[in-house]
Amino acid sequence: MFLLVQRFGELMRKLWNPRNFKAHVSPHEMLQAVVLCSKKNFQITKQGDGVDFLSWFLNALHSALGGTKKKKKTIVTDVFQGSMRIFTKKLPHPDLPAEEKAQLLQNTEYQEMMVESTFMYLTLDLPTAPLYKDEKEQLIIPQVPLFSILAKFNGATEKEYKTYKENFLKRFQLTRLPPYLIFCIKRFTKNNFFVEKNPTIVNFPITNVDLREYLSEEVQAAHANTTYDLIANIVHDGKPSEGSYRIHVLHHVSVTCPWGKRRWNNALK
């Protein structure tokens, strides 16, 4: 696995070398390392899922540098890892009589539980896209502001999660923000037959995204800086099973970013 670290380090040094006389850098050797270290789960000749790759890549780098799930910080966790509280409450089966539901809710099994968890990126859920059309018989593409889908992490918003056997209500509250924050906007849903892409447009500012209100009150004082500027954006174009990715990266020469702010990446838009 350390081969991945070596090839990634070589690529970064070539990319940012001020003495590099070439106008481009080939990532081929690093991609070969990805194929080898992922046991061909990610291949050069086959398009993979961007979120799956991001999650695997960050964790693979962390593991190769000596990190584990429970201990040993690495440069990866120092840069990208934050923490949150996850509150979970089990729900009775919806078909049960009201009296039986009320009785079950008194049991310990159905009381809200809280666990502390770390994250490398935050997954943002989009509202269901409407199916209606406008007067020209064209599908209407809805738009939502970034802060609407960030409400998932305000500590109060509850969302129902369904499994094969049980249903749960969950809410999330951030307890630590990383220096660089990655958002993954969840556009793709899979079922037994096909993959569907949600076309909802997310409107977001590129500077001064303040996340202080999403932190629990007792940890807000420990965060001197809670404001982020956008530095990179990845967009998927085309059909869910095909298409391509476009990447936008901040050019510091043409855009002035004041010091004292953190950075956020809208990893998958």
Side-chain angles (χ1 to χ4, degrees), residues 84-224:
M84 69 171 75
R85 291 176 183 149
I86 304 176
F87 300 86
T88 306
K89 182 165 55 177
K90 185 178 178 180
L91 296 176
H93 195 281
D95 295 335
L96 291 176
E99 293 182 1
E100 189 173 347
K101 287 182 181 179
Q103 186 176 2
L104 286 174
L105 289 173
Q106 302 302 317
N107 297 341
T108 305
E109 182 183 0
Y110 290 85
Q111 301 305 306
E112 186 175 69
M113 297 181 294
M114 186 272 289
V115 295
E116 299 276 354
S117 179
T118 58
F119 64 86
M120 290 288 194
Y121 58 86
L122 295 177
T123 301
L124 304 181
D125 303 315
L126 291 174
T128 302
L131 300 177
Y132 55 81
K133 300 181 180 181
D134 60 15
E135 62 276 6
K136 297 181 180 179
E137 291 298 312
Q138 294 179 336
L139 286 175
I140 296 175
I141 300 179
Q143 300 185 33
V144 295
L146 174 67
F147 290 101
S148 292
I149 56 179
L150 269 174
K152 172 182 178 180
F153 298 100
N154 62 11
T157 301
E158 292 183 322
K159 182 177 179 180
E160 185 173 350
Y161 290 82
K162 298 181 179 181
T163 65
Y164 179 70
K165 294 182 178 180
E166 299 172 321
N167 296 349
F168 298 89
L169 275 182
K170 289 189 177 185
R171 56 189 180 95
F172 308 86
Q173 186 166 45
L174 304 181
T175 55
R176 183 168 60 86
L177 294 171
Y180 288 79
L181 180 61
I182 301 174
F183 291 153
C184 288
I185 299 175
K186 189 177 179 180
R187 291 198 177 275
F188 302 101
T189 53
K190 301 177 182 178
N191 58 35
N192 294 331
F193 303 101
F194 58 90
V195 179
E196 186 177 4
K197 180 180 178 181
N198 190 321
T200 300
I201 296 172
V202 179
N203 296 315
F204 54 86
I206 60 173
T207 59
N208 298 316
V209 177
D210 195 351
L211 300 184
R212 182 170 295 277
E213 65 179 279
Y214 301 97
L215 290 167
S216 56
E217 293 183 3
E218 68 271 20
V219 301
Q220 288 185 7
H223 288 73

